[in-house]
Amino acid sequence: MKRKRRWIDLALLPFGWCVKFLLALGKLFGLTYIQISVVFNLWVQGAVLTLSGVVPFGVAIYKMLEQFSVGWLILAFVFACYAGAYVYAFIKMLRHYHLPFDKAFFLCVMDLERVASKWHTTYEMVNLLIFVLFYLILLALNVIISYYLILL
């Protein structure tokens, strides 16, 4: 009897691609899968996301210095808070998933499994939602905000 595929099963395919990507990246840099997972998923992605969250503040400051107005001052304050939230979250994440690599990796896996059980899904699906979909949405949001601020 042929097994009917569930939508959750579809998460295994892109998750497998992500694992292969990390294995290849790890081989390139001489890191194990655990090490490259921590470095790439937590440190690199976290740093890129944090920097992208700080850019709107930088653009608002630049625009305010270029031509002062109360509107730019208010936007600078709003985006300082926005940037602060990204920096705070990144620091909190770094403290939570501190070295050694094995400890950080397995703590992250446990956290993802805990979320998966609450959402009634799989570890792989939560991993994809957080480290791919949610990451790309936040990154795109920051790029769009920065782009529109530049246009103002």
Side-chain angles (χ1 to χ4, degrees), residues 52-71:
S52 75
V54 171
V55 168
F57 171 65
V59 172
I61 292 293
Y62 175 80
K63 292 286 199 165
M64 185 179 70
L65 293 175
E66 189 176 69
Q67 182 180 353
F68 182 81
S69 72
V70 174

Side-chain angles (χ1 to χ4, degrees), residues 40-57:
F40 185 80
N41 289 334
L42 299 177
W43 299 354
V44 173
Q45 281 190 267
V48 168
L49 197 57
T50 300
L51 288 173
S52 75
V54 171
V55 168
F57 171 65

Side-chain angles (χ1 to χ4, degrees), residues 30 54 66 89 92 136 142 146:
V54 171
E66 189 176 69
K92 191 131 174 92
L136 291 174
N142 293 335
S146 299

Side-chain angles (χ1 to χ4, degrees), residues 38-134:
V38 171
V39 169
F40 185 80
N41 289 334
L42 299 177
W43 299 354
V44 173
Q45 281 190 267
V48 168
L49 197 57
T50 300
L51 288 173
S52 75
V54 171
V55 168
F57 171 65
V59 172
I61 292 293
Y62 175 80
K63 292 286 199 165
M64 185 179 70
L65 293 175
E66 189 176 69
Q67 182 180 353
F68 182 81
S69 72
V70 174
W72 281 114
L73 181 62
I74 291 169
L75 279 175
F77 176 75
V78 167
F79 286 113
C81 296
Y82 185 78
Y86 273 95
V87 171
Y88 174 78
F90 185 54
I91 290 169
K92 191 131 174 92
M93 185 270 303
L94 289 176
R95 285 185 175 166
H96 183 69
Y97 300 114
H98 59 82
L99 293 178
F101 284 109
D102 288 354
K103 182 180 185 288
F105 178 82
F106 290 113
L107 180 58
C108 185
V109 168
M110 284 185 346
D111 290 344
L112 291 171
E113 287 174 343
R114 189 175 316 118
V115 171
S117 72
K118 287 183 181 183
W119 289 357
H120 305 289
T121 189
T122 64
Y123 156 83
E124 293 86 0
M125 184 61 79
V126 172
N127 194 309
L128 285 171
L129 289 173
I130 291 173
F131 291 111
V132 178
L133 185 64
F134 190 53

Side-chain angles (χ1 to χ4, degrees), residues 15-57:
F15 182 79
W17 295 336
C18 291
V19 168
K20 287 179 183 179
F21 169 75
L22 287 175
L23 285 169
L25 197 60
K27 189 172 184 177
L28 180 69
F29 290 104
L31 299 172
T32 66
Y33 177 74
I34 287 175
Q35 292 168 330
I36 197 63
S37 292
V38 171
V39 169
F40 185 80
N41 289 334
L42 299 177
W43 299 354
V44 173
Q45 281 190 267
V48 168
L49 197 57
T50 300
L51 288 173
S52 75
V54 171
V55 168
F57 171 65

